[in-house]
PDB file of all heavy atoms in Angstrom:
ATOM      1  N   SER A 233      -1.030  14.403  10.392  1.00  0.00           N
ATOM      2  CA  SER A 233      -0.304  13.230   9.919  1.00  0.00           C
ATOM      3  C   SER A 233       1.208  13.438  10.060  1.00  0.00           C
ATOM      4  O   SER A 233       1.932  12.558  10.540  1.00  0.00           O
ATOM      5  CB  SER A 233      -0.677  12.967   8.457  1.00  0.00           C
ATOM      6  OG  SER A 233       0.190  12.029   7.887  1.00  0.00           O
ATOM      7  N   GLU A 235       2.775  15.443  12.093  1.00  0.00           N
ATOM      8  CA  GLU A 235       3.123  15.470  13.524  1.00  0.00           C
ATOM      9  C   GLU A 235       3.309  14.049  14.062  1.00  0.00           C
ATOM     10  O   GLU A 235       4.256  13.751  14.780  1.00  0.00           O
ATOM     11  CB  GLU A 235       1.946  16.069  14.304  1.00  0.00           C
ATOM     12  CG  GLU A 235       2.217  17.372  15.007  1.00  0.00           C
ATOM     13  CD  GLU A 235       0.893  17.996  15.415  1.00  0.00           C
ATOM     14  OE1 GLU A 235       0.156  17.338  16.188  1.00  0.00           O
ATOM     15  OE2 GLU A 235       0.586  19.110  14.937  1.00  0.00           O
ATOM     16  N   VAL A 245       4.070   8.700   3.469  1.00  0.00           N
ATOM     17  CA  VAL A 245       2.637   8.995   3.417  1.00  0.00           C
ATOM     18  C   VAL A 245       2.326   9.947   2.253  1.00  0.00           C
ATOM     19  O   VAL A 245       1.356   9.750   1.507  1.00  0.00           O
ATOM     20  CB  VAL A 245       2.170   9.609   4.757  1.00  0.00           C
ATOM     21  CG1 VAL A 245       0.800  10.249   4.624  1.00  0.00           C
ATOM     22  CG2 VAL A 245       2.146   8.548   5.840  1.00  0.00           C
ATOM     23  N   ASN A 251       0.180   9.067  -5.082  1.00  0.00           N
ATOM     24  CA  ASN A 251      -0.267   7.906  -5.863  1.00  0.00           C
ATOM     25  C   ASN A 251      -1.786   7.838  -5.931  1.00  0.00           C
ATOM     26  O   ASN A 251      -2.356   7.520  -6.971  1.00  0.00           O
ATOM     27  CB  ASN A 251       0.245   6.597  -5.241  1.00  0.00           C
ATOM     28  CG  ASN A 251       1.719   6.357  -5.523  1.00  0.00           C
ATOM     29  OD1 ASN A 251       2.280   6.927  -6.453  1.00  0.00           O
ATOM     30  ND2 ASN A 251       2.333   5.505  -4.723  1.00  0.00           N
ATOM     31  N   LYS A 253      -3.933  10.315  -5.776  1.00  0.00           N
ATOM     32  CA  LYS A 253      -4.442  11.347  -6.682  1.00  0.00           C
ATOM     33  C   LYS A 253      -4.240  10.923  -8.133  1.00  0.00           C
ATOM     34  O   LYS A 253      -5.140  11.053  -8.962  1.00  0.00           O
ATOM     35  CB  LYS A 253      -3.726  12.678  -6.437  1.00  0.00           C
ATOM     36  CG  LYS A 253      -4.131  13.344  -5.132  1.00  0.00           C
ATOM     37  CD  LYS A 253      -3.440  14.691  -4.991  1.00  0.00           C
ATOM     38  CE  LYS A 253      -3.709  15.322  -3.639  1.00  0.00           C
ATOM     39  NZ  LYS A 253      -2.850  16.464  -3.370  1.00  0.00           N
ATOM     40  N   VAL A 304     -11.152   8.824  13.326  1.00  0.00           N
ATOM     41  CA  VAL A 304     -12.506   9.277  13.660  1.00  0.00           C
ATOM     42  C   VAL A 304     -12.440  10.281  14.808  1.00  0.00           C
ATOM     43  O   VAL A 304     -13.066  11.345  14.769  1.00  0.00           O
ATOM     44  CB  VAL A 304     -13.416   8.073  14.030  1.00  0.00           C
ATOM     45  CG1 VAL A 304     -14.723   8.555  14.641  1.00  0.00           C
ATOM     46  CG2 VAL A 304     -13.678   7.210  12.803  1.00  0.00           C
ATOM     47  N   HIS A 327      -8.490  -0.646   3.683  1.00  0.00           N
ATOM     48  CA  HIS A 327      -7.323  -0.381   2.837  1.00  0.00           C
ATOM     49  C   HIS A 327      -6.241  -1.451   2.885  1.00  0.00           C
ATOM     50  O   HIS A 327      -5.275  -1.401   2.123  1.00  0.00           O
ATOM     51  CB  HIS A 327      -6.714   0.999   3.149  1.00  0.00           C
ATOM     52  CG  HIS A 327      -5.658   1.001   4.218  1.00  0.00           C
ATOM     53  ND1 HIS A 327      -5.939   1.087   5.554  1.00  0.00           N
ATOM     54  CD2 HIS A 327      -4.307   0.910   4.134  1.00  0.00           C
ATOM     55  CE1 HIS A 327      -4.812   1.068   6.240  1.00  0.00           C
ATOM     56  NE2 HIS A 327      -3.808   0.955   5.408  1.00  0.00           N
ATOM     57  N   LEU A 331      -8.594  -8.071  -2.418  1.00  0.00           N
ATOM     58  CA  LEU A 331      -9.844  -8.702  -2.855  1.00  0.00           C
ATOM     59  C   LEU A 331      -9.561  -9.602  -4.055  1.00  0.00           C
ATOM     60  O   LEU A 331      -8.676  -9.319  -4.848  1.00  0.00           O
ATOM     61  CB  LEU A 331     -10.855  -7.631  -3.276  1.00  0.00           C
ATOM     62  CG  LEU A 331     -11.270  -6.611  -2.216  1.00  0.00           C
ATOM     63  CD1 LEU A 331     -12.169  -5.554  -2.827  1.00  0.00           C
ATOM     64  CD2 LEU A 331     -11.985  -7.301  -1.063  1.00  0.00           C
ATOM     65  N   ILE A 392       4.951 -11.555  -6.529  1.00  0.00           N
ATOM     66  CA  ILE A 392       3.980 -11.796  -7.608  1.00  0.00           C
ATOM     67  C   ILE A 392       2.554 -11.708  -7.063  1.00  0.00           C
ATOM     68  O   ILE A 392       1.673 -11.099  -7.673  1.00  0.00           O
ATOM     69  CB  ILE A 392       4.251 -13.152  -8.289  1.00  0.00           C
ATOM     70  CG1 ILE A 392       5.586 -13.088  -9.030  1.00  0.00           C
ATOM     71  CG2 ILE A 392       3.119 -13.529  -9.252  1.00  0.00           C
ATOM     72  CD1 ILE A 392       6.099 -14.419  -9.543  1.00  0.00           C
ATOM     73  N   ASN A 399      -5.905  -3.779  -7.359  1.00  0.00           N
ATOM     74  CA  ASN A 399      -7.303  -3.708  -7.786  1.00  0.00           C
ATOM     75  C   ASN A 399      -7.504  -3.031  -9.136  1.00  0.00           C
ATOM     76  O   ASN A 399      -8.490  -3.285  -9.813  1.00  0.00           O
ATOM     77  CB  ASN A 399      -8.119  -2.910  -6.753  1.00  0.00           C
ATOM     78  CG  ASN A 399      -8.174  -3.594  -5.412  1.00  0.00           C
ATOM     79  OD1 ASN A 399      -8.616  -4.734  -5.317  1.00  0.00           O
ATOM     80  ND2 ASN A 399      -7.716  -2.912  -4.369  1.00  0.00           N
TER      81      ASN A 399
END
Side-chain angles (χ1 to χ4, degrees):
S233 168
E235 244 166 60
V245 165
N251 284 340
K253 288 183 186 168
V304 169
H327 90 275
L331 300 175
I392 293 170
N399 295 303

